[in-house]
Amino acid sequence: MQTPWTDQKIQERMRLKVGLAEMLKGGVIMDVTNAEQAKIAEEAGAVAVMALERIPADIRRDGGIARMSQPAMIKQIQDTVSIPVMAKCRIGHFAEAQILEALGVDFIDESEVLTPADEKNHVDKWAFKVPFVCGCRDLGEALRRIGEGAAMIRTKGEAGSGNIVEAVRHMRQVQEGIRRLTVLREDELMHEAKELGAPYHIVLEVAKTGKLPVPNFAAGGVATPADASLMMQLGAETVFVGSGIFKSKDPKPRAEAIVQAVTFYQDPVKLLEISMHLGEPMSGLDIATMPEDQKMAGRGW
Amino acid sequence: MTEQPVGILALQGDFALHAAALVRQGEAYLYVRRPGELAACRGLVIPGGESTTMTRLLDIVGLRQPILDFAAAGKPILGTCAGLIMLATRVDEDERRHGVKPLGLLDVLVRRNGYGRQVDSFVDEVAVAGRTETMQGVFIRAPRILEVGPGVEVVATWRGETVGVRRGNVTGLAFHPEAGEGGAWHL
């Protein structure tokens, strides 16, 4: 029997999926809720847009069940911009994912920002032609998602909070986990795989290469050019900005500034110049005082 | 004197894949984000990525004129995918609407995402002029070359269709040799 790792066709397809993630590196992916915002994002230099009905800050405020966006609304955004269009499905909701694939979205985010549809299982992403990105809080979670066929990993952060602390925690956890694998003896890796709850063969690969086999992006709480630079310096290869742009006072210059901050993340003088004269960022939420049931990062298994 | 590195425009895109491909060929590389860095290079690679984003950043950092001067000085330039779009003289009417402003170094008409969306992306063998063996071409939301102007030679074809062009020191490919198996394209 063929497994996804020995099936040549599936691996060739994976090359295309990871390939698109590679093309997005050094860029900013922006959440947009309509065609007009999508246009602003494209003009500001976004490498892709995430089409969703409500940005995380509003999902948080409104409560209720958050589902896949209306296909007609996603279609309108696809017709407006020429950059890749991403959309979210609920964790484990493979039927939503099938509909998004039929719609021709370029990337699916199996996202904790929406209400999970399955309390144990994530989508079998090998079964799809369209690439998937999944969130993680640590290395074990990242490697489980890669084992399911994710072509891109991102931190979960705490979406819609405007607070970078969770994204930093998750990125550091992943990086620390990777560094640990590279110094363990080979005969210790099976036990480590057990502790991580991660597929052994991917643990072996990461131990050898010292990096994830797919691109590693940052998401959840990015609100300023400095936040974007921080995540890039911690090892992110691209940044997702959700509520941070269209919840700020003046979205366009902020979008442009964050795009530049990702390219020049190692250049403080340039970052200073970029950060000058920006309006008010979105107001933020304190994670420490946030009730447990309102945290999105805990969703996903 | 040590040989000068090959520059890789690293404003946005798959510059890391190009770096890995150059290292496999035993070449030194330098990421280029500023005019001064370009001046230190013997050639330049413009990677894949998003041409709308690259257009914006190219003008913000002031690299447009230095790249044109670099080409005029006869130094080799290779563009892949979005890099090809950036080298072209003409993009579809529709593309200009999205804010793509190419450098105009290769007289071709290109259409962004000319083979469709991501679900239409594909891997296939590409015939290369002057080589008996085909090479693996990775086409990711690839641009399509619709017209080739006079004086521009075809250097790669896929199913008889032009997917690679060159004029003098400037080469543009619709696909990604750097993302293929052992893929490399010498500058």
Side-chain angles (χ1 to χ4, degrees), chain B residues 2-36:
Chain B
T2 52
E3 202 175 336
Q4 288 184 304
V6 174
I8 306 172
L9 189 67
L11 298 174
Q12 189 277 315
D14 76 329
F15 43 83
L17 285 184
H18 275 288
L22 285 168
V23 169
R24 280 198 300 271
Q25 293 172 53
E27 292 261 15
Y29 72 88
L30 179 72
Y31 283 149
V32 172
R33 297 186 175 99
R34 287 182 185 75

Side-chain angles (χ1 to χ4, degrees), chain A residues 12-13 15-20 22-28 39 42-48 75 78-85 101 103-107 129-131 252 256 259-260 262-267 270, chain B residues 10-17 33-34 47-54 56-57 60-61 81 94-95 97-100 112-113 116-124 136-141 176 178-182:
Chain A
E12 197 166 274
R13 211 197 250 173
R15 188 187 288 272
L16 291 170
K17 293 176 176 179
V18 175
L20 179 57
E22 292 280 347
M23 299 310 146
L24 301 174
K25 280 188 181 176
V28 180
K39 196 74 205 143
E42 183 176 64
E43 282 168 7
V47 288
K75 176 82 171 46
Q78 286 175 313
D79 292 343
T80 305
V81 296
S82 64
I83 53 179
V85 175
E101 181 172 63
L103 183 60
V105 302
D106 296 296
F107 236 105
K129 237 185 135 175
V130 61
K252 194 161 189 285
E256 288 170 355
V259 166
Q260 287 187 62
V262 169
T263 298
F264 295 102
Y265 70 95
Q266 290 166 305
D267 185 340
K270 193 92 192 173
Chain B
L11 298 174
Q12 189 277 315
D14 76 329
F15 43 83
L17 285 184
R33 297 186 175 99
R34 287 182 185 75
E50 287 303 319
S51 47
T52 48
T53 308
M54 279 189 215
R56 258 203 76 74
L57 290 169
I60 286 171
V61 301
C81 194
D94 190 47
E95 300 305 326
R97 185 168 62 86
H98 294 291
V100 176
R112 195 129 139 273
N113 310 330
R117 297 181 186 281
Q118 174 61 13
V119 288
D120 306 306
S121 291
F122 61 96
V123 179
D124 204 359
Q136 192 179 54
V138 179
F139 293 79
I140 297 172
R141 287 169 47 90
H176 297 278
E178 76 282 7
E181 251 159 23

Side-chain angles (χ1 to χ4, degrees), chain A residues 124-194:
Chain A
D124 169 20
K125 292 165 273 286
W126 296 113
F128 288 79
K129 237 185 135 175
V130 61
F132 279 75
V133 52
C134 289
C136 72
R137 286 163 296 176
D138 53 36
L139 185 62
E141 207 173 358
L143 300 189
R144 286 194 292 279
R145 298 296 85 81
I146 293 167
E148 293 157 359
M152 182 204 292
I153 288 297
R154 57 168 175 78
T155 58
K156 286 183 172 171
E158 190 57 48
S161 70
N163 188 337
I164 200 68
V165 66
E166 293 299 305
V168 168
R169 186 206 311 279
H170 301 156
M171 184 56 78
R172 283 199 185 270
Q173 291 270 5
V174 170
Q175 303 291 359
E176 187 191 313
I178 292 172
R179 280 198 303 275
R180 190 177 145 73
L181 287 187
T182 63
V183 297
L184 288 178
R185 282 166 51 109
E186 213 175 311
D187 59 7
E188 294 168 335
L189 291 174
M190 180 59 85
H191 177 75
E192 186 67 9
K194 177 190 163 201

